[in-house]
Amino acid sequence: MARDGRELRASGTSDASGASGACGLPLPVSLCLIARNERRFLADCLRSAAPYVAETILVDTGSTDGTAAIGASFGARVIHEAWADDFAAARNRSLAAASQPWILVLDADERLAVGDPAAWMRLLEDEAKGGYFVQVISRVGSGARAGTVTDAVCRLFRNDARVRFRGLVHEEAASSVYDAYGGEAIGDAAGLSILHEGYRDDVIAERDKFARNRRLLARALAAAPDDPALRYAAGTELFAAGDYAGALRWLEPLAGLARDPGYGSDAMLKLVHACRAAGRPADAARHAADGAKRYPDFADLHDARA
């Protein structure tokens, strides 16, 4: 297999001219992923998206478990890129290689769920939109602590050189979509959802994600301590580790954000639960009431308020 930025391509049914998938629909979408040692999940991820995309770009950042070969077996264009401790840089390498008018971004431990292929096409045909927030449903915990959390992340957007990911870790593209197309240009991807396995206890332990993410966050926050996306990322890491007082120091300033970059609803939900766990029930109730007004269709916030 080629390395050092060279590419590997295997034969497959997709091509850059725009394949047809479910119901014979034209699919002007590039699936972009980054992965390292994702043999456990990658095939299911690619299988879930295959009917809805014309091509797949996989940036492999140093796998030793056959991840690249799995990608190639699904017809992916595999690009080998050295890991540089920068998630946005790796993501943007995949975006730069995409040829279709739209880009869908998944992680290897995620699966695409499409409730209505016709609705998927309507999203792509809306000329007023530069991107969409997609519902991400993450399985968390294990055993008696198992459950799910729901978030909305900008994972479907136009292929535009102005639209790139930002952030060493917990990277996001919504800010650049807003900058490129304006504040009303991101919609909600009705009929689409992403099912995420990476927050399960066994997966976190296997990857030692907390140690890696905290190291990258410390580096990023040293350079930009007031960046809202980094504050959310830091609060999320501390919340997941059970340090609720520490999480609140990062999350509370986000309650008043004028523009929601996609993680606002999840930040509010974590803020409510962190206040409650830290022994601040009055603040939890206040934030829950505010969040329910701001995100009236977010059932988790109503449940937290109750």
Side-chain angles (χ1 to χ4, degrees):
M1 295 180 184
R3 293 191 179 275
D4 299 325
R6 289 176 290 142
E7 299 165 6
L8 176 154
R9 185 194 296 269
S11 61
T13 58
S14 299
D15 63 65
S17 63
S20 292
C23 305
L25 298 171
L27 304 168
V29 181
S30 297
L31 170 63
C32 291
L33 308 93
I34 63 173
R36 181 177 182 179
N37 291 338
E38 291 287 1
R39 181 183 183 89
R40 179 177 177 183
F41 296 110
L42 182 59
D44 286 341
C45 172
L46 298 178
R47 193 175 293 115
S48 74
Y52 306 103
V53 301
E55 68 173 356
T56 297
I57 309 296
L58 172 63
V59 171
D60 185 284
T61 60
S63 296
T64 57
D65 67 346
T67 288
I70 293 171
S73 74
F74 278 82
R77 176 183 174 187
V78 180
I79 301 172
H80 293 274
E81 190 84 2
W83 175 242
D85 263 2
D86 188 330
F87 279 92
R91 296 264 188 222
N92 292 336
R93 178 69 176 90
S94 71
L95 302 190
S99 67
Q100 293 297 308
W102 286 86
I103 289 173
L104 170 70
V105 175
L106 293 177
D107 284 335
D109 57 7
E110 296 174 337
R111 301 187 309 280
L112 179 68
V114 179
D116 181 0
W120 165 267
M121 290 305 303
R122 286 194 293 273
L123 296 176
L124 304 180
E125 292 167 354
D126 188 341
E127 296 182 358
K129 297 302 180 187
Y132 293 95
F133 290 119
V134 183
Q135 182 186 61
V136 179
I137 303 170
S138 299
R139 292 174 60 194
V140 298
S142 61
R145 296 177 56 250
T148 61
V149 296
T150 304
D151 196 3
V153 184
C154 186
R155 295 288 199 86
L156 178 64
F157 45 83
R158 294 187 184 275
N159 188 352
D160 184 326
R162 297 173 297 172
V163 177
R164 291 294 184 262
F165 280 90
R166 301 171 182 174
L168 293 177
V169 63
H170 290 284
E171 65 286 359
E172 54 84 28
S175 297
S176 62
V177 176
Y178 279 129
D179 290 345
Y181 293 99
E184 302 300 319
I186 303 184
D188 294 316
L192 297 184
S193 60
I194 294 170
L195 311 178
H196 177 221
E197 302 290 343
Y199 288 157
R200 288 166 21 197
D201 286 349
D202 60 320
V203 179
I204 289 174
E206 177 183 298
R207 299 175 176 174
D208 197 17
K209 290 176 67 171
F210 287 145
R212 177 202 66 196
N213 288 357
R214 287 185 179 186
R215 173 173 53 80
L216 295 180
L217 274 170
R219 178 176 142 203
L221 284 163
D226 296 322
D227 184 287
L230 293 176
R231 297 191 71 92
Y232 168 69
T236 294
E237 291 296 321
L238 292 169
F239 182 91
D243 181 356
Y244 300 111
L248 287 170
R249 289 195 295 273
W250 294 106
L251 293 175
E252 283 201 281
L254 301 180
L257 281 180
R259 187 176 75 181
D260 183 2
Y263 51 76
S265 59
D266 186 62
M268 290 297 296
L269 183 64
K270 286 183 169 65
L271 180 55
V272 172
H273 286 308
C275 283
R276 181 176 54 81
R280 294 170 47 186
D283 289 330
R286 174 171 56 84
H287 288 307
D290 290 344
K293 290 178 182 177
R294 186 169 185 181
Y295 305 101
D297 60 346
F298 188 22
D300 289 0
L301 262 173
H302 293 283
D303 182 65
R305 185 181 184 190

